[in-house]
Amino acid sequence: MIPRILIVSDVSDARAKGLAARLDRRGAVVATLPLAAIAFDTGSPSGLSIPSFDGALPDAVLVRSIAAGSFEAVTRRLGVLHAFGKLCIPVWNSAQAIERCVDKSMTTFLLKNAGLPTPPTFAVEGFVMAEAVASRELPFTPLVLKPLFGAQGRGIRLIETLSDLPAEDEVNGVYYLQHYVPRPGPPFRDFRVFVCAGEVLAMMSRRGDDWITNVNRGAVPEQVSGHGETELTALAKAAATAIGADFAGVDIVPSADGRLFVLEVNSMPAWSGLQSVVAVNIADAIADALLKFLADRTEAAAARPYRLAAPANS
């Protein structure tokens, strides 16, 4: 059977194009569409209308990116991914995993619930509640304020005094406050570990003069030496499992005393910086993992014994 794969992405995304090319070389039929192009349609057999599929459904959906939009638009797009799941179509990553990663407060809740080391974190609404948290915590540690929905280090602030807290309208009324993890620097370092199908594909350290060590903010990606790889691997795999992500970029920061803390799990990770310092081709590895998952799924279904239907009057 020739697998039909739907890649969800903006057409201009280079990583989506790379994934499509690699899946195509492996014999899959691939279409790349933004979620905005897929409609709910109760007149169709599946309840969905998907351009390029002639009324059929894909065998799997691979989510590379979801475009920004209004609250209504994003809710509808995630609803489409939920619908694929309801139709028993594998979605990498599922709507639930994406929602858990996009909402940083849920990410940290799940990490803590799984017993993973993550800094003490508080997500509250309103300036009064944020001020109460800061008043209690700041005598002992600086706090990091992050947008609840945000990526690539944008909007992150260090809160060292109560006067550093922004007004409610600057954070949409929600304050996500996390203990700052003290570490040597500059230069500062953290780690990005890429997990796919329960295995670590690659990892890098990021070195920068800024304590926010995102590559798009000037940090330099570097290879990870053998020291600490085992612990990084275990933490990253456990974090992806806690979120329920089929593939993910896990951000881990080392403290000054050598302990490792999981900060975030990214369900739609970029990998250009990581790819520049590792030998494995990440797009190839994702394509191979997805196709193996589908082949194993088909084999398991074929091996499942048929059950005779019970008589109507039994």
Side-chain angles (χ1 to χ4, degrees):
M1 182 188 76
I2 298 175
R4 296 163 299 178
I5 311 296
L6 171 62
I7 296 177
V8 170
S9 176
D10 296 332
V11 178
S12 60
D13 182 72
R15 283 168 290 275
K17 290 179 180 178
L19 286 167
R22 285 158 174 82
L23 287 164
D24 180 73
R25 283 188 218 129
R26 288 157 172 77
V29 175
V30 186
T32 301
L33 295 168
L35 279 174
I38 302 172
F40 283 102
D41 180 359
T42 57
S44 72
S46 67
L48 294 173
S49 175
I50 310 169
S52 305
F53 277 83
D54 299 321
L57 289 169
D59 295 302
V61 178
L62 183 61
V63 183
R64 205 8 259 149
S65 65
I66 300 176
S70 67
F71 178 77
E72 291 83 357
V74 172
T75 298
R76 193 204 69 86
R77 293 167 194 170
L78 288 170
V80 170
L81 295 183
H82 279 295
F84 281 129
K86 184 69 174 177
L87 294 167
C88 297
I89 296 169
V91 182
W92 283 25
N93 284 304
S94 69
Q96 186 177 49
I98 292 170
E99 289 165 349
R100 288 170 170 177
C101 289
V102 169
D103 176 359
K104 290 184 178 66
S105 60
M106 179 53 70
T107 301
T108 50
F109 170 80
L110 291 170
L111 292 174
K112 182 65 176 178
N113 190 256
L116 294 173
T118 192
T121 303
F122 314 88
V124 299
E125 292 189 33
F127 185 86
V128 172
M129 290 186 70
E131 189 176 46
V133 169
S135 296
R136 186 180 70 238
E137 303 298 322
L138 282 178
F140 309 103
T141 178
L143 297 170
V144 178
L145 174 68
K146 300 180 183 180
L148 195 64
F149 306 145
Q152 298 184 331
R154 291 188 290 266
I156 295 178
R157 310 185 193 193
L158 188 63
I159 307 298
E160 297 180 282
T161 68
L162 289 178
S163 62
D164 293 329
L165 282 174
E168 288 188 25
D169 59 358
E170 294 183 58
V171 292
N172 296 318
V174 176
Y175 294 80
Y176 176 93
L177 296 160
Q178 189 170 69
H179 279 201
Y180 174 75
V181 178
R183 61 195 195 275
F188 297 93
R189 294 181 185 272
D190 73 352
F191 300 98
R192 163 61 64 90
V193 185
F194 201 104
V195 180
C196 181
E199 299 297 331
V200 169
L201 296 183
M203 64 177 70
M204 67 175 173
S205 67
R206 297 179 290 198
R207 173 178 54 82
D209 293 330
D210 190 351
W211 64 275
I212 305 173
T213 47
N214 291 80
V215 172
N216 72 308
R217 293 175 64 105
V220 177
E222 296 179 335
Q223 289 183 329
V224 177
S225 65
H227 176 69
E229 279 191 80
T230 301
E231 188 178 359
L232 288 168
T233 294
L235 281 177
K237 289 167 66 172
T241 298
I243 300 300
D246 297 293
F247 66 97
V250 182
D251 291 341
I252 300 173
V253 62
S255 67
D257 61 8
R259 291 180 296 162
L260 296 176
F261 291 88
V262 182
L263 293 186
E264 294 185 20
V265 182
N266 302 275
S267 62
M268 293 177 282
W271 59 78
S272 55
L274 177 60
Q275 187 64 80
S276 70
V277 296
V278 298
V280 63
N281 187 294
I282 294 169
D284 278 338
I286 295 171
D288 287 339
L290 178 58
L291 293 177
K292 182 180 186 303
F293 171 84
L294 289 176
D296 290 347
R297 190 171 185 253
T298 300
E299 184 179 346
R304 202 172 295 133
Y306 290 102
R307 293 182 180 179
L308 295 175
N313 295 323
S314 63

